[in-house]
Amino acid sequence: MGKRHPIQICPDNGQRGILWSCGVFGLTAIALLCILLFARPADANRIKPGLSTELGFTDNVKFRTGEEDFFFKVTPSLQVSAGPASNNFSANASAGWTQYFLHADESDLESVNIKLAYNRAFSPRFNCNIANSTVATYDVIDRDIEGQPLSTVTPGTKSYNNTTTAATQYRWGEFDMASAQYSFKWSRFESDASTENTSHKVLLKGQGRVAINWRAEASLEGGRSFFEESENKTTVGARVGMVRMLGPQREAFLRISGTVTRVDTDDVDIAGAKDYDVYGVTTGIDWAFNSVTKAGLHIGADYIDGNDTLNQAAGDVYPNVSAYIRYTGQTWSVAGRFSSALNDLNFEGQDAGLTNTSRASVDFNWDFMQHWSFFTTCTIIYENPLQTNDIITTDATGATDIYSERMTYSATTGINWQFAKHSNLGLRYKVDYRDSDTLKDESRSRNEISLIFTTYHDFMW
C-alpha cells in the first residue's frame, strides 16, 4: 500500500497555553451563560452539602505497593442546583483524602471531581446545554458513560482530565430530531514523567420517521487528537441505520458504519502501522417486556482495512456484540450486561492503537427489610491490544510492550443501614485483581473491607 496523507481538521498548535485557555474558556462560558440566559427567577433552587467517611483495612495500599495498612478516607461533597428544568444551572463537587496509618507517606488527595452544567430549553422543541467536567484520580482507569475504558494508567500514576462539552438539539416530531455536539478534552498523566494530550470531537446526529413504523437515522463524527509522545491523529466516521418501531420501548435496527483514522507522519512505516479504516455492520433488538423488565441484544462485526504487513490488526474481522437485561422490582433489582467491541485507547498520553475490549458486569440490590439494604456488583474486563508494534508501544526510556493483554476482575458487596432520614452506615468488602504481562503494569490484587458513614442535608428555596 502506498503512503497515506493525514486528514487535517484543525491546525496542530501544540502549545500548552492554548490548552489551559480552552479550559478557562469553558468555565467562563458556563458562568456567562448562567448570567445572561437566566430569563426568569429561579423557582427550584437547592444546595446539598454532604460528607462521607470511611475507615477500613487494605492488603495492597493504593493497589500497587503490596503493603497492608489501615486507612481513613474523608470525602466532603457539595451539590448546587438553581432554576427550573427548562433554565437550570447545576454544580457538583467532591474531593477524597485518604490517610494511611503505617504508610503515612502514601497519604494523599486521591480524587477530585467537579462538574458544572447549564441547560436552556428555549421551547419544547429546542434546547442547548454546556458542561464542564474536571476529574483528578490516582491509579485508576478512566471510563466513559457506558463504562468502557478510555485511557489506562500504570501503578503510581495520577491522571487529570478536563472535558468541556457544548450541545444543542431540535425536535420537530416525536421521532424527528437533529443534534450537534462539540467536546474538548485535556488530559495530563504524572508518573516517572508527565505527559499531556488533548482531543477535539464534533458529532452531528439526525433521525426522522420515514413510515408509520420506520425511523431512519444518521450520524457524522470527526475528531482530532494531539499527543506529546506519539503522532497526532485524525479520525472521521459516519453511520446510517434503519429502525423498525415495534411498540412502546420496543424496536429492532440495522446500522452500517465506517471510520477512517490517519496519523501525522511522513514515515511510511509508522503510517502503515497506525493508519487504518474500520467498516462495521450491526443489527439488534431492544425489548421492554413490561414496566420493570427490559432486555436487548446487538450483534455485529467490524472489519479493519490497512497495511496487513505493518498493522497486525489489518485484514481481520472482530465481533461487535452487546447484550443487557434489567429488572427493577419493588424491593430488589438486578442488571446484567456484556459487550465486546473495538476501542481506540491512549496509554498515559500515548496513542496505544486499536484494542478489542470485552466487558461483563452484574449488579444486584435488595431492600431486605425496612431501612436495610444489600448490594453487590461484579465486573470483568478483558483488554486485548491489536496493534503491538514497537513503534506504537515504545516509551521514552526505550522499554517496549508497555500496553499488553490483561484481565481485570472487580467485585464489591456490602450492606447499608439508613438510621436517619439523610444518614447511612454501611459495611463494604471489595476485591480487585489484575492479570497483566505488561512490563510497567505487573499483575496485582487487593482486598479491602471498610465501614462507611454518609450524610447530607437538603436546603431548598
Side-chain angles (χ1 to χ4, degrees):
M1 296 178 62
K3 174 182 172 183
R4 297 183 178 182
H5 298 283
I7 305 168
Q8 296 291 337
I9 289 183
C10 60
D12 178 8
N13 46 67
Q15 298 180 4
R16 184 176 300 180
I18 294 179
L19 306 182
W20 285 107
S21 298
C22 291
V24 173
F25 172 79
L27 293 172
T28 305
I30 293 175
L32 290 175
L33 280 173
C34 295
I35 295 172
L36 297 176
L37 298 182
F38 260 73
R40 31 185 297 208
D43 58 3
N45 302 318
R46 167 183 290 185
I47 183 170
K48 182 179 176 181
L51 178 68
S52 173
T53 60
E54 183 176 353
L55 179 65
F57 172 81
T58 178
D59 65 359
N60 190 352
V61 172
K62 290 189 174 178
F63 200 24
R64 63 177 174 82
T65 66
E67 301 291 339
E68 299 179 348
D69 203 348
F70 292 92
F71 65 90
F72 177 75
K73 184 174 182 178
V74 56
T75 306
S77 62
L78 180 66
Q79 299 181 31
V80 177
S81 178
S86 61
N87 196 18
N88 179 263
F89 169 77
S90 63
N92 300 291
S94 66
W97 172 274
T98 302
Q99 177 69 44
Y100 294 96
F101 293 86
L102 303 179
H103 302 80
D105 56 328
E106 298 287 354
S107 302
D108 201 355
L109 184 66
E110 295 189 350
S111 64
V112 176
N113 294 268
I114 303 173
K115 296 182 179 180
L116 306 175
Y118 176 74
N119 181 73
R120 182 71 165 106
F122 294 94
S123 72
R125 295 184 176 184
F126 178 56
N127 75 283
C128 298
N129 61 77
I130 185 169
N132 193 89
S133 174
T134 302
V135 180
T137 54
Y138 192 99
D139 192 22
V140 299
I141 298 176
D142 180 28
R143 303 193 178 279
D144 65 13
I145 193 171
E146 298 294 334
Q148 296 297 330
L150 293 174
S151 59
T152 182
V153 297
T154 52
T157 300
K158 287 186 177 181
S159 67
Y160 305 88
N161 298 282
N162 190 87
T163 304
T164 302
T165 303
T168 183
Q169 177 179 279
Y170 181 77
R171 287 186 173 273
W172 62 92
E174 183 180 1
F175 303 103
D176 307 301
M177 177 270 292
S179 65
Q181 176 179 293
Y182 166 78
S183 61
F184 168 80
K185 182 175 182 180
W186 169 83
S187 300
R188 178 179 175 87
F189 302 88
E190 293 182 357
S191 184
D192 298 331
S194 62
T195 59
E196 295 181 3
N197 69 277
T198 62
S199 64
H200 304 262
K201 183 178 178 181
V202 176
L203 176 62
L204 305 176
K205 298 174 65 176
Q207 66 178 41
R209 178 180 246 170
V210 294
I212 187 171
N213 291 322
W214 287 90
R215 185 178 78 243
E217 56 184 32
S219 64
L220 179 64
E221 182 179 18
R224 179 83 166 140
S225 300
F226 301 92
F227 302 94
E228 283 191 347
E229 302 294 338
S230 55
E231 293 74 24
N232 299 329
K233 181 171 62 177
T234 301
T235 301
V236 177
R239 187 178 74 178
V240 295
M242 290 295 296
V243 180
R244 177 71 162 92
M245 296 177 287
L246 305 171
Q249 300 186 59
R250 298 176 181 179
E251 59 184 35
F253 66 86
L254 175 67
R255 298 186 178 110
I256 301 173
S257 61
T259 304
V260 178
T261 299
R262 299 290 183 268
V263 296
D264 295 355
T265 181
D266 293 324
D267 190 307
V268 176
D269 291 335
I270 295 179
K274 292 190 173 184
D275 289 353
Y276 58 86
D277 306 334
V278 178
Y279 305 102
V281 58
T282 307
T283 185
I285 187 169
D286 295 291
W287 196 272
F289 295 93
N290 46 50
S291 60
V292 298
T293 307
K294 187 175 182 179
L297 176 62
H298 307 167
I299 300 175
D302 292 320
Y303 172 75
I304 301 177
D305 180 32
N307 189 321
D308 54 9
T309 301
L310 298 173
N311 188 336
Q312 292 90 339
D316 292 329
V317 177
Y318 296 90
N320 185 350
V321 179
S322 67
Y324 67 92
I325 184 169
R326 293 193 297 267
Y327 172 81
T328 304
Q330 291 185 345
T331 59
W332 65 280
S333 64
V334 62
R337 185 179 182 89
F338 170 81
S339 65
S340 180
L342 295 176
N343 286 278
D344 197 10
L345 306 187
N346 71 67
F347 185 95
E348 297 184 17
Q350 301 183 59
D351 181 16
L354 279 170
T355 299
N356 184 246
T357 302
S358 299
R359 184 178 189 270
S361 63
V362 176
D363 298 282
F364 176 75
N365 294 273
W366 177 32
D367 298 328
F368 58 92
M369 64 174 64
Q370 188 177 15
H371 305 305
W372 287 86
S373 62
F374 169 82
F375 68 91
T376 187
T377 179
C378 303
T379 303
I380 300 175
I381 301 174
Y382 171 67
E383 298 169 280
N384 179 26
L386 305 179
Q387 297 172 303
T388 56
N389 193 290
D390 290 349
I391 296 173
I392 296 175
T393 58
T394 300
D395 64 12
T397 65
T400 59
D401 194 27
I402 61 173
Y403 179 67
S404 68
E405 177 180 294
R406 69 181 183 181
M407 185 82 78
T408 302
Y409 308 87
S410 179
T412 304
T413 189
I415 57 174
N416 282 321
W417 172 41
Q418 184 181 2
F419 63 90
K421 183 178 180 180
H422 300 304
S423 300
N424 293 271
L425 191 63
L427 181 65
R428 186 190 71 182
Y429 171 72
K430 182 178 182 181
V431 58
D432 299 290
Y433 176 73
R434 180 173 294 172
D435 184 9
S436 175
D437 296 326
T438 309
L439 295 179
K440 294 176 64 180
D441 186 19
E442 67 281 355
S443 299
R444 47 190 169 136
S445 63
R446 173 176 61 184
N447 292 271
E448 280 186 5
I449 186 168
S450 57
L451 186 67
I452 304 173
F453 166 76
T454 59
T455 186
Y456 69 90
H457 190 79
D458 264 333
F459 299 93
M460 300 183 66
W461 70 94

